[in-house]
Amino acid sequence: MGWQNLQENLILTILIKGDYIGAIEHKAETENISKVLYPNDMFAKGKELRLKQEYFFSSATLQDIIRRYKQKFSDNFESFAEYNAIQLNDTHPAIAIVELMRLLVDVEGISWEKAWNITTKSFGYTNHTVMPEALEKWSVDLLQSLLPRHLQIIYEIDRRFSEDVIKIYPNDKSKIDRMSIIKDETVRMANLSIIGSHTVNGVAKLHTEIIKQHLFKDFYEIFPEKFQNKTNGITQRRWLLKANPCLAELITEKIGNSWITNLNELTKLTEFIDNTEFLIRWRNIKKQNKERLANYIRKELNINIDTETMFDCQIKRIHEYKRQLLNILHVIHMYLEIKDFPERDFIPRTVIISGKAAPSYFMAKLIIKLINSVADVINSDKSIDDKLKLIFIPNYSVSLAELIIPSADLSEQISTAGMEASGTGNMKFALNGALTIGTLDGANVEIKEEVGEENIFIFGLTDKEIEELKGKYNPKDFYKNNLKLQRVIDLIAEGYFSRHEPSLFKPIIDSLLHQGDKFFVLADFQSYIECQQKVSKEYLDQELWTKKSVINVAKIGKFSSDRTIEEYVKEIWNLKKVHVS
Ligand SMILES: *Cc1c(COP(=O)(O)O)cnc(C)c1O
């Protein structure tokens, strides 16, 4: 229903029924469906309005696709899948599989078999997370009350799929338990997406392997040919040309402007890594960008930061698996080192953290509180001589990212190995000449392959080592056996950063020490601080650091979204490329 129709509907209800309040209520309720997108970065269990929203946008899109198709082909749906590629960006629009079946069977009068053939040839599914609690699940009850016809269709898809599975594994009922769409009165949207699509893809090589070997193992065994990898990318038009105009200009002066549409052209920058004048200009541009951010921080947060210090940045959604906590433990560790050994050389740092938490994610909000509390103590301590500052920038957004990323010396990509599907922030930073400190997770693995291991700082357990540790891991052993870690944890636990409310951060301490530390923060602490020491040491040699910065930019071409999109075009959508002059 368009806006005009809603207005007419409202007027009719008022005129005919005289129910003014009821009409306004109805209008407000329907408008709510598309008013705001849910701000969660992962699935928030069973919110009715969210399912309505997903259905609203899916149905509107499909009805538009069908309207356009009919303008050309009338009622003949034979070529539908040849002319339409529908890509499910995560499971959020997965109900579209069921909606297309409903439109084809109930509205267009096509047989189930033909409709299913059209549907599965039209849909592709991109998975974005391996975290089980983030996979969408809707209760049968909710679907029954909101979309009863869709629930019937889901049962029928499930019945036919289960028959096929039983034929393949007649003696293994556990296969159906794991692969069916409906289990324990819940509808598993990821399973629906896999069953209803011709192709399933992950968003980085490691992520795709994890999908095939673990998360969707049973499906991979039956349909190995369905699974593909499409490593994510970012657009250089936004993340270099627009966000970092001075660096873009220097690059264009040296190698021409063809990198704007062909990012692999950046390899030509390797010619200049021994050119001292070029390296000085490169470094000066970084300095200018740091000044630009420092001005913002002075104006918005009333904090002065020194642009001669290393800018150490972690900007991303606040999530336990992304381990902002590990970063904070390192910040507190540095603070203690400076206080213990004031005469010792310390490479000064400005640690910058930004990111939003989902509204009901208690732990994420407490982590933000901890960052701000630690910042208050460190930034007001005159005795450390401005060697360390910690800045939390609120209201993280794309615009803020465009301001922060060009200023970064160090990019923090420190998720628990195996948990970050790809990451794209990692690519944006490297494109702007920051060096990465990171785990072998998501696309970090491929960034390392491209830039070379001497131009990236890798630490921590691998995804396989994490899998190995699961079930045996005792975080308290790491706490007991590491005095540096112990001091940092004890300082938070005793309320040093929350004097007015000493037990404020108890839930964080409990999750680390008494609830199994599910994100292996303590297990990676020692490896992380050792790697950070190496970072500091290398930052001392500004010429070498700048060379590595240039090499990162020169070798990051693979991560252009132009490459990603071309792979989807050729390998998933089977389209012919059209040249636009
Ligand atoms: C790129 C970007 C992200 C994704 O960052 P990751 O580090 O990959 O999690 C999130 N939010 C904004 C605003 C971004 O620009």
Side-chain angles (χ1 to χ4, degrees):
M1 222 190 301
W3 180 83
Q4 194 110 32
N5 282 331
L6 267 174
Q7 290 299 90
E8 282 168 17
N9 202 323
L10 179 71
I11 291 163
L12 278 177
T13 312
I14 297 167
L15 289 180
I16 296 166
K17 289 201 201 159
D19 183 7
Y20 178 76
I21 299 294
I24 295 289
E25 274 173 2
H26 178 75
K27 181 169 180 283
E29 200 185 315
T30 48
E31 286 178 349
N32 258 341
I33 292 173
S34 60
K35 205 165 240 168
V36 281
L37 277 176
Y38 272 70
N40 301 326
D41 52 341
M42 283 185 183
F43 178 57
K45 50 188 180 318
K47 289 281 185 288
E48 180 174 312
L49 182 62
R50 177 60 183 174
L51 180 59
K52 283 185 183 170
Q53 191 172 70
E54 293 181 349
Y55 176 63
F56 174 80
F57 286 118
S58 298
S59 180
T61 303
L62 285 177
Q63 290 183 58
D64 187 48
I65 289 171
I66 289 173
R67 181 183 59 80
R68 287 159 188 258
Y69 179 82
K70 281 182 156 183
Q71 283 174 357
K72 198 175 161 89
F73 294 97
S74 188
D75 287 341
N76 181 355
F77 279 83
E78 292 285 309
S79 313
F80 185 85
E82 191 186 323
Y83 284 83
N84 294 290
I86 307 172
Q87 194 67 26
L88 300 174
N89 187 16
D90 217 321
T91 59
H92 310 147
I95 194 69
I97 290 170
V98 191
E99 174 71 351
L100 183 58
M101 283 300 286
R102 186 188 70 83
L103 291 167
L104 294 177
V105 173
D106 293 359
V107 181
E108 304 296 336
I110 295 171
S111 74
W112 179 281
E113 288 74 15
K114 278 192 175 158
W116 184 244
N117 189 38
I118 292 167
T119 298
T120 53
K121 281 188 160 60
S122 301
F123 280 97
Y125 162 49
T126 304
N127 172 272
H128 290 273
T129 176
V130 297
M131 312 262 285
E133 67 273 26
L135 295 176
E136 275 183 292
K137 292 183 176 77
W138 299 104
S139 76
V140 164
D141 285 351
L142 180 60
L143 270 152
Q144 178 63 254
S145 72
L146 227 52
L147 298 166
R149 177 58 180 150
H150 294 75
L151 183 61
Q152 278 183 339
I153 293 170
I154 291 170
Y155 270 119
E156 181 60 14
I157 296 170
D158 211 17
R159 189 188 65 78
R160 289 171 183 245
F161 175 71
S162 298
E163 264 182 25
D164 295 344
V165 173
I166 287 169
K167 277 182 207 144
I168 303 168
Y169 305 103
N171 302 315
D172 193 350
K173 168 107 178 31
S174 73
K175 288 280 177 189
I176 292 184
D177 282 353
R178 293 195 296 271
M179 297 168 82
S180 65
I181 302 169
I182 298 177
K183 173 94 203 303
D184 299 334
E185 297 292 300
T186 58
V187 183
R188 299 183 284 196
M189 302 310 270
N191 291 14
L192 170 64
S193 300
I194 299 169
I195 295 164
S197 299
H198 53 84
T199 304
V200 177
N201 76 281
V203 291
K205 279 199 254 178
L206 177 70
H207 169 57
T208 300
E209 284 311 303
I210 290 171
I211 281 178
K212 295 197 292 191
Q213 307 304 332
H214 300 280
L215 191 66
F216 301 145
K217 187 172 191 284
D218 299 300
F219 290 104
Y220 179 61
E221 265 171 37
I222 302 186
F223 319 110
E225 68 293 338
K226 257 196 198 188
F227 288 77
Q228 290 193 25
N229 175 247
K230 294 287 164 279
T231 298
N232 275 165
I234 54 166
T235 170
Q236 64 268 32
R237 268 83 66 188
R238 176 182 293 272
W239 296 107
L240 184 51
L241 186 61
K242 173 170 183 282
N244 200 342
C246 297
L247 192 65
E249 196 174 76
L250 175 60
I251 292 169
T252 296
E253 180 192 313
K254 293 295 177 188
I255 66 168
N257 66 5
S258 53
W259 61 270
I260 296 170
T261 49
N262 178 10
L263 202 62
N264 288 318
E265 288 285 313
L266 290 178
T267 54
K268 290 181 178 158
L269 288 171
T270 50
E271 279 179 46
F272 303 93
I273 55 168
D274 293 316
N275 179 334
T276 310
E277 190 224 289
F278 173 76
L279 294 179
I280 290 170
R281 287 176 69 191
W282 188 274
R283 193 148 62 231
N284 283 341
I285 289 165
K286 181 64 76 181
K287 187 84 194 304
Q288 275 182 42
N289 292 332
K290 289 164 86 166
E291 301 282 352
R292 184 173 70 157
L293 177 62
N295 287 335
Y296 176 89
I297 290 171
R298 189 178 310 116
K299 199 160 151 276
E300 297 295 324
L301 306 178
N302 197 27
I303 303 172
N304 287 313
I305 59 174
D306 179 358
T307 55
E308 291 290 328
T309 62
M310 182 202 306
F311 278 22
D312 171 350
C313 302
Q314 185 177 28
I315 60 171
K316 47 184 74 253
R317 292 301 291 251
I318 309 295
H319 212 292
E320 287 166 286
Y321 85 82
K322 291 175 184 277
R323 299 200 296 190
Q324 280 89 1
L325 258 182
L326 182 58
N327 190 348
I328 284 303
L329 297 188
H330 173 244
V331 170
I332 297 170
H333 166 73
M334 287 190 290
Y335 177 62
L336 291 173
E337 292 277 298
I338 296 167
K339 289 193 75 85
D340 285 351
F341 309 104
E343 71 295 343
R344 206 182 269 178
D345 274 337
F346 179 86
I347 308 305
R349 289 197 193 209
T350 301
V351 177
I352 293 159
I353 302 178
S354 190
K356 283 177 177 160
S360 66
Y361 191 171
F362 169 80
M363 210 41 127
K365 297 205 163 200
L366 194 59
I367 290 167
I368 294 176
K369 179 69 183 167
L370 177 63
I371 297 166
N372 280 293
S373 302
V374 172
D376 287 344
V377 169
I378 292 179
N379 298 345
S380 63
D381 187 336
K382 301 278 191 299
S383 78
I384 62 167
D385 211 20
D386 282 357
K387 285 176 185 167
L388 181 63
K389 282 231 159 81
L390 172 60
I391 312 290
F392 181 81
I393 307 181
N395 288 319
Y396 181 50
S397 65
V398 169
S399 309
L400 253 183
E402 289 178 33
L403 179 67
I404 297 167
I405 292 169
S407 81
D409 295 304
L410 186 65
S411 158
E412 298 273 350
Q413 307 300 334
I414 60 178
S415 53
T416 315
M419 296 195 186
E420 186 77 270
S422 161
T424 53
N426 47 5
M427 303 164 188
K428 299 168 195 169
F429 277 106
L431 179 64
N432 283 275
L435 305 202
T436 302
I437 181 166
T439 48
L440 284 176
D441 199 15
N444 297 353
V445 177
E446 291 160 75
I447 292 174
K448 173 179 165 251
E449 282 174 12
E450 295 298 306
V451 306
E453 64 182 352
E454 62 289 2
N455 300 305
I456 187 168
F457 300 96
I458 298 293
F459 73 95
L461 297 168
T462 63
D463 64 308
K464 289 184 185 72
E465 289 166 338
I466 295 274
E467 278 306 315
E468 255 298 284
L469 243 193
K470 279 181 187 166
K472 312 176 197 163
Y473 179 46
N474 188 357
K476 272 190 195 150
D477 294 341
F478 288 86
Y479 169 82
K480 282 181 198 146
N481 297 325
N482 187 330
L483 293 176
K484 287 174 176 163
L485 173 61
Q486 217 177 91
R487 268 188 89 193
V488 171
I489 296 279
D490 289 350
L491 211 60
I492 301 171
E494 76 194 24
Y496 188 86
F497 302 105
S498 52
R499 294 251 147 111
H500 49 288
E501 199 183 334
S503 62
L504 181 61
F505 300 117
K506 189 166 184 296
I508 289 176
I509 301 300
D510 287 345
S511 90
L512 294 177
L513 290 181
H514 312 300
Q515 289 154 19
D517 182 19
K518 295 185 181 64
F519 304 95
F520 299 86
V521 175
L522 303 196
D524 273 345
F525 176 83
Q526 187 59 31
S527 167
Y528 182 55
I529 63 166
E530 282 171 18
C531 192
Q532 287 283 20
Q533 269 158 24
K534 204 173 138 207
V535 169
S536 284
K537 205 168 147 219
E538 291 209 8
Y539 192 73
L540 260 182
D541 186 345
Q542 279 289 295
E543 177 158 334
L544 185 66
W545 185 279
T546 308
K547 276 184 191 176
K548 290 186 176 191
S549 166
V550 176
I551 293 169
N552 266 267
V553 176
K555 300 201 172 168
I556 209 69
K558 170 177 169 180
F559 303 97
S560 171
S561 50
D562 298 344
R563 185 268 312 151
T564 311
I565 291 165
E566 197 150 328
E567 287 179 8
Y568 277 89
V569 162
K570 287 188 183 141
E571 297 161 22
I572 297 183
W573 303 329
N574 299 311
L575 305 177
K576 280 195 285 287
K577 194 165 157 178
V578 178
H579 279 277
V580 182
S581 50

